């Protein structure tokens, strides 16, 4: 299979800030993109305020995928929440030849998507990006690197997709080990997302406190034990390197803290629940992760009652 | 030694809500009481709004113990903070025959007081009480039971003191095992005080969430391991009983949450730090307690910068 960029169609499902940002890059690369978003539906002009350039883009955003055309590439950027019905979201834009790209946090959903659409090529994606949106615009403040990795043997497709993104300034790394890539992102998401909510703190505030740094390191150590029990051989150097990088980042609020503050659901299960279930299957004890899981679940329950 | 109530003098050192409440009971019982409090110094009339009765009391409150007379009973109710200099607080009101009563949360300070004043009788005290104060008054809303236990062989003194308190409606239990009594109170203080601050929640909110209850139970289990390593044989029934009692309590904000909200220092070390140091000496692993210790320390550091 070889992409012919210009003719290809894309459906972005669950287009929040991440979906709109990367979808708009594909549009910029010449692909025909349609978006599904309940909250942005109907907007015809999207202001993209990105470190890769600022421009107004014509967009087609639908509230439901049933109003969209079947697509060659289905970019799934819906938040990783347990209640999401992937089948009813994806089926309307699905073709037998559709390439599925799952751009999400957490772990465990590649397997779910593959079991729903076992014959379609599936690429897992991870976005390392600082981006948020408001009603008319997306604001891309920093970073933006993608990691793309085939779920099965679709490495050539991942590379073609990487080429498209790179043609419009998006740094992309193609990885051969999707599961390991998911774990590597969790090393950051497991400590920093939940603790930012529990402590109401930016990354900078956390990195300036020896107590918070200790806690992050401890949580990464537990993550390492679980990941390595799955055979990924991640080292302590990786942990220290990630702490160093976070120390050097410009201070920001994690996406989970932004979700919490806006009374939107948080990815508690994708980021903590599923790793804990894997730990349990692997007979690994992760008590600190359990502690923040229960704390975050408490906050999520209370926060959901304050919604709208 | 036998107390002659009417002639006995009392110095209450660090008279916050707890010191003023129990000091005023001793005054009511006929003892001559002087108080030391930096924030309440100079007040001549204290409004005591208590479930044991409401009245205005004439009080003598000094900013420094150096202005007070040596006392037969020194009731130490200063908050259990690492920076407290007990010697300079107690020495001015000290006599060779003074009975020291340490009415505090946490663990480890009985030993400290005994090493400073090894020849004086020392009674450890625990207050199970819901009380707070404002500038002119103390408000005693619920409970009020005291547990008194001799540090050494002063059981008869503990009993005499209990008799005085009971003569003015204070329920008192005399225990023979001070260290065990300290641990038993920690079973409540370790989960509920820190989590109330971290989760910004009342006891009722916590008891209504299966996640918070699970966390409390887990923390009590770690507490049990440490206490029992010291030889106290506390059972799971004790834990479930304490959870039941908390479920039935009327909802309230813990004293630690009130301290936090008012930017006053919290007893982080007395309630979590010292139990963790004991765990370390006993080779007990308490990862969930460690997690909330680091979280609370982070919050304490940030909160202390917002002071005044």
């Amino acid at each position: 299979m070889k992409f012919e960029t210009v003719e290809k169609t894309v459906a972005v499902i669950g287009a929040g800030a991440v979906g709109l940002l990367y979808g708009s890059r594909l549009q910029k690369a010449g692909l025909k993109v349609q978006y599904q978003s309940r909250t942005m539906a109907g907007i015809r002009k999207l202001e993209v305020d990105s470190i890769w350039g600022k421009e107004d883009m014509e967009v087609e955003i639908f509230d439901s995928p049933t109003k969209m055309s079947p697509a060659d590439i289905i970019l799934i950027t819906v938040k990783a929440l347990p209640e999401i019905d992937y089948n009813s979201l994806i089926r309307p834009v699905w073709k037998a030849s559709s390439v599925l790209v799952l751009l999400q946090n957490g772990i465990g959903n590649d397997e779910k998507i593959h079991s729903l659409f076992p014959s379609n090529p599936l690429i897992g994606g991870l976005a390392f990006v600082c981006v948020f949106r408001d009603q008319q615009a997306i604001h891309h403040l920093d970073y933006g690197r993608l990691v793309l990795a085939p779920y099965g043997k679709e490495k050539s497709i991942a590379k073609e997709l990487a080429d498209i993104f790179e043609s419009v300034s998006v740094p992309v790394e193609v990885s051969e080990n999707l599961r390991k890539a998911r774990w590597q992102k969790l090393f950051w998401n497991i400590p920093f997302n939940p603790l930012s909510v529990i402590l109401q703190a930016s990354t900078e505030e956390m990195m300036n406190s020896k107590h918070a740094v200790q806690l992050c390191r401890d949580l990464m150590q537990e993550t390492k034990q679980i990941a390595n029990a799955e055979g990924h051989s991640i080292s302590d150097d990786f942990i220290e390197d990630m702490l160093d990088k976070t120390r050097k980042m410009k201070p920001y609020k994690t996406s989970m803290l932004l979700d919490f503050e806006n009374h939107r659901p948080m990815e508690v299960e994708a980021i903590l629940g599923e790793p804990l279930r894997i730990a349990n299957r692997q007979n690994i004890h992760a008590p600190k992760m359990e502690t923040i899981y229960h704390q975050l679940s408490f906050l999520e329950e209370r926060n959901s009652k304050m919604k709208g």
Side-chain angles (χ1 to χ4, degrees), chain A residues 38-263:
Chain A
R38 271 182 308 176
T39 48
M40 302 284 270
I43 289 169
R44 309 289 305 179
K45 194 161 278 179
L46 180 73
E47 193 187 319
V48 182
D49 183 6
S50 165
I51 58 168
W52 297 323
K54 184 170 176 166
E55 60 191 303
D56 288 335
M57 296 196 87
E58 304 287 334
V59 288
E60 279 193 299
I61 309 184
F62 301 89
D63 61 346
S64 164
T66 56
K67 298 171 182 164
M68 296 161 70
S69 311
D72 300 312
I73 300 171
I74 304 174
L75 184 60
I76 307 153
T77 56
V78 65
K79 203 190 286 184
L81 300 175
E83 62 268 31
I84 302 290
D85 179 357
Y86 290 94
N87 191 49
S88 65
L89 276 175
I90 295 170
R91 194 65 69 183
V93 296
W94 178 89
K95 297 195 288 189
S97 61
S98 299
V99 172
L100 305 176
V101 183
L102 183 65
L103 199 57
Q104 273 190 331
N105 279 324
I107 201 158
N109 275 349
D110 302 298
E111 291 74 7
K112 196 185 282 181
I113 298 293
H114 175 70
S115 73
L116 286 170
F117 307 99
S119 318
N120 291 73
L122 170 59
I123 310 294
L126 302 100
F128 297 80
V129 62
C130 184
V131 62
F132 69 97
R133 69 167 174 85
D134 50 36
Q135 270 318 94
Q136 304 290 332
I138 57 172
H139 306 274
H140 170 209
L141 306 179
D142 211 354
Y143 311 98
R145 189 172 68 96
L146 285 181
V147 172
L148 298 176
Y151 179 80
K153 300 195 182 306
E154 303 86 0
K155 191 169 177 197
S156 65
I157 299 176
K159 280 195 167 146
E160 286 173 67
L161 201 58
D163 287 344
I164 301 173
F165 278 117
E166 284 179 335
S167 75
V168 283
S169 310
V170 181
V172 186
E173 182 195 326
V174 174
S175 163
E176 301 206 33
N177 191 335
L178 174 56
R179 188 87 176 172
K180 184 171 183 175
R182 293 269 183 233
W183 273 113
Q184 285 177 320
K185 193 165 189 213
L186 280 172
F187 272 73
W188 199 89
N189 283 339
I190 283 177
F192 288 103
N193 270 302
L195 288 178
S196 71
V197 173
I198 294 165
L199 303 176
Q200 295 285 297
S202 71
T203 52
E204 184 187 38
E205 282 182 280
M206 287 189 263
M207 293 312 293
N208 282 338
S209 157
K210 70 177 198 303
H211 290 289
V213 169
Q214 181 62 48
L215 212 41
C216 290
R217 185 179 279 116
D218 291 351
L219 287 162
M220 288 181 183
Q221 281 292 339
E222 289 187 353
T223 309
K224 187 183 93 168
Q225 282 186 50
I226 310 169
N228 289 357
E230 276 202 350
H232 298 302
S233 68
I234 294 169
S235 71
D236 286 350
D237 288 351
F238 179 79
I239 291 176
E240 293 309 317
D241 187 50
M242 190 161 269
L243 286 169
D244 274 348
K245 283 187 176 135
T246 309
R247 206 170 276 118
K248 288 169 191 153
M249 269 166 52
K250 54 177 150 178
Y252 87 104
K253 283 186 176 185
T254 68
S255 58
M256 196 179 256
L257 179 52
L258 289 174
D259 282 339
F260 180 73
E261 289 180 344
N262 290 291
H263 303 293

Side-chain angles (χ1 to χ4, degrees), chain A residues 2-49:
Chain A
K2 189 78 185 161
F3 282 132
E4 291 302 322
T5 306
V6 185
E7 292 159 29
K8 291 288 168 192
T9 59
V10 179
V12 181
I13 299 297
V18 167
L20 289 165
L21 176 66
Y22 291 102
S24 72
R25 293 324 283 174
L26 293 177
Q27 220 175 312
K28 180 101 182 153
L31 285 74
K32 176 171 169 26
V33 182
Q34 293 185 313
Y35 304 83
Q36 180 273 323
S37 162
R38 271 182 308 176
T39 48
M40 302 284 270
I43 289 169
R44 309 289 305 179
K45 194 161 278 179
L46 180 73
E47 193 187 319
V48 182
D49 183 6

